[in-house]
Amino acid sequence: MKRIAIGLLSAAVSGSLLMSAGTASAERVALSVRIDSVNPNPVVVQGDDDTRVTIEVRTTEAERVELRLKPVSDQLRTQDTREPQIFHQGDLWRFTTSFDASDFEGRWVAIADAYDKDGKKVTDEVNFSVKHEKKEKAETRVYRFSASPESVRKGRWVYFTGRLQVDDHYWKNVRGEEVEIYFRKRGSSAWKFVTSDNTDWKGRFDARARATKSGEYRAIFNGTDDLSESRSRSDWVRVYSYHR
């Protein structure tokens, strides 16, 4: 990663000047530059993902091309920009870079500067825009949650099982995510944290806690940047005291 203020992308080609195809004369073609496209436009950044952007520039007689990308704004901000990938063939110069959520949202300008061997410069520019969109999270569910046994003596173990799944055209198991277990005693409106466990490769979680009072248990997945939160149905456990 290289920190730059306005996204300077540059490239150079060594050797003789590029001559127009199909001419047998030694007459030089005039230096020219034109930005053909910014793709995609608008540039849509979703969540924390990077969006790849390609800018194509057409030139004649250019020995070097520089491309600058800067926001049309009075705000000055430094951004992180990857080193661009550059493709050059004949009159075509293709620059590839990426935008993310740290980049200014709004109007931008792409400025292409083409230079010949004598240092003469010609310039072309086009406007494009950057939009930020909230990434849609995949739906999840806590499947077949169970607190058992249904009736247990105070101080003994209550066991919790279930699966975490994600809707990816069909329900698939989710591995390596934390599921929390909460308890609400009889007559209370508050859920209290009890324990937690990470799902295995089958999406299963297994946990346990000491029985204290009768009440209901629930499993909750708090979600991630890509997965929505979800919670199970509640499961009631009766707790009794031992008497001789």
Side-chain angles (χ1 to χ4, degrees), residues 169-234:
H169 303 296
Y170 61 93
W171 289 106
K172 296 172 60 176
N173 298 322
V174 180
R175 177 181 183 178
E177 296 294 346
E178 183 182 29
V179 176
E180 298 175 341
I181 309 299
Y182 286 81
F183 172 72
R184 182 170 66 180
K185 68 180 181 180
R186 186 201 304 265
S188 174
S189 59
W191 291 89
K192 292 184 179 180
F193 175 82
V194 175
T195 185
S196 67
D197 187 41
N198 288 338
T199 57
D200 64 15
W201 67 278
K202 291 184 177 180
R204 296 188 306 188
F205 58 90
D206 295 278
R208 66 179 185 173
R210 294 287 185 183
T212 57
K213 296 181 180 180
S214 296
E216 53 188 336
Y217 294 89
R218 172 179 287 173
I220 295 179
F221 172 59
N222 290 315
T224 66
D225 290 341
D226 300 317
L227 303 175
S228 65
E229 66 177 56
S230 57
R231 59 188 60 199
S232 73
R233 62 175 181 82
S234 59

Side-chain angles (χ1 to χ4, degrees), residues 85-103:
Q85 295 180 350
I86 303 167
F87 170 83
H88 173 230
Q89 183 177 34
D91 292 343
L92 172 64
W93 301 73
R94 182 181 295 130
F95 299 85
T96 304
T97 187
S98 62
F99 284 75
D100 59 30
S102 69
D103 291 309

Side-chain angles (χ1 to χ4, degrees), residues 12-21 23 25-32 59-65 88-91 93 114-121:
V13 59
S14 59
S16 60
L17 293 176
L18 304 175
M19 302 301 293
S20 59
T23 179
S25 69
E27 182 180 353
R28 177 181 295 179
V29 178
L31 175 67
S32 68
T59 66
T60 57
E61 287 296 302
E63 190 172 73
R64 177 167 57 94
V65 175
H88 173 230
Q89 183 177 34
D91 292 343
W93 301 73
Y115 300 83
D116 67 12
K117 70 170 185 175
D118 299 319
K120 179 183 177 181
K121 181 181 80 170

Side-chain angles (χ1 to χ4, degrees), residues 1-242:
M1 300 287 287
K2 179 181 179 183
R3 296 190 68 83
I4 58 176
I6 59 173
L8 175 64
L9 315 181
S10 63
V13 59
S14 59
S16 60
L17 293 176
L18 304 175
M19 302 301 293
S20 59
T23 179
S25 69
E27 182 180 353
R28 177 181 295 179
V29 178
L31 175 67
S32 68
V33 62
R34 183 183 75 254
I35 300 176
D36 263 1
S37 64
V38 177
N39 186 37
N41 185 15
V43 179
V44 178
V45 177
Q46 291 191 335
D48 294 327
D49 293 344
D50 288 354
T51 299
R52 179 177 170 139
V53 179
T54 300
I55 300 96
E56 290 192 349
V57 180
R58 295 282 180 177
T59 66
T60 57
E61 287 296 302
E63 190 172 73
R64 177 167 57 94
V65 175
E66 293 181 353
L67 183 72
R68 291 174 286 147
L69 307 175
K70 71 175 184 178
V72 183
S73 170
D74 293 332
Q75 300 179 23
L76 296 177
R77 64 187 291 183
T78 300
Q79 65 190 55
D80 288 329
T81 302
R82 289 186 177 89
E83 288 292 336
Q85 295 180 350
I86 303 167
F87 170 83
H88 173 230
Q89 183 177 34
D91 292 343
L92 172 64
W93 301 73
R94 182 181 295 130
F95 299 85
T96 304
T97 187
S98 62
F99 284 75
D100 59 30
S102 69
D103 291 309
F104 175 78
E105 181 178 21
R107 292 176 57 219
W108 284 66
V109 60
I111 306 168
D113 298 319
Y115 300 83
D116 67 12
K117 70 170 185 175
D118 299 319
K120 179 183 177 181
K121 181 181 80 170
V122 292
T123 300
D124 188 32
E125 63 180 57
V126 296
N127 290 312
F128 64 100
S129 61
V130 174
K131 295 182 178 180
H132 294 174
E133 287 187 356
K134 186 176 180 180
K135 186 175 181 180
E136 291 294 327
K137 295 184 178 184
E139 182 182 356
T140 65
R141 70 177 181 179
V142 180
Y143 183 59
R144 290 190 174 178
F145 171 69
S146 173
S148 61
E150 294 180 1
S151 182
V152 62
R153 194 169 74 186
K154 184 176 181 179
R156 296 288 180 88
W157 292 110
V158 180
Y159 297 89
F160 313 104
T161 60
R163 270 195 172 92
L164 179 63
Q165 298 183 323
V166 61
D167 186 5
D168 185 14
H169 303 296
Y170 61 93
W171 289 106
K172 296 172 60 176
N173 298 322
V174 180
R175 177 181 183 178
E177 296 294 346
E178 183 182 29
V179 176
E180 298 175 341
I181 309 299
Y182 286 81
F183 172 72
R184 182 170 66 180
K185 68 180 181 180
R186 186 201 304 265
S188 174
S189 59
W191 291 89
K192 292 184 179 180
F193 175 82
V194 175
T195 185
S196 67
D197 187 41
N198 288 338
T199 57
D200 64 15
W201 67 278
K202 291 184 177 180
R204 296 188 306 188
F205 58 90
D206 295 278
R208 66 179 185 173
R210 294 287 185 183
T212 57
K213 296 181 180 180
S214 296
E216 53 188 336
Y217 294 89
R218 172 179 287 173
I220 295 179
F221 172 59
N222 290 315
T224 66
D225 290 341
D226 300 317
L227 303 175
S228 65
E229 66 177 56
S230 57
R231 59 188 60 199
S232 73
R233 62 175 181 82
S234 59
D235 199 7
W236 181 270
V237 173
R238 173 180 171 268
V239 177
Y240 61 88
S241 298
Y242 176 77

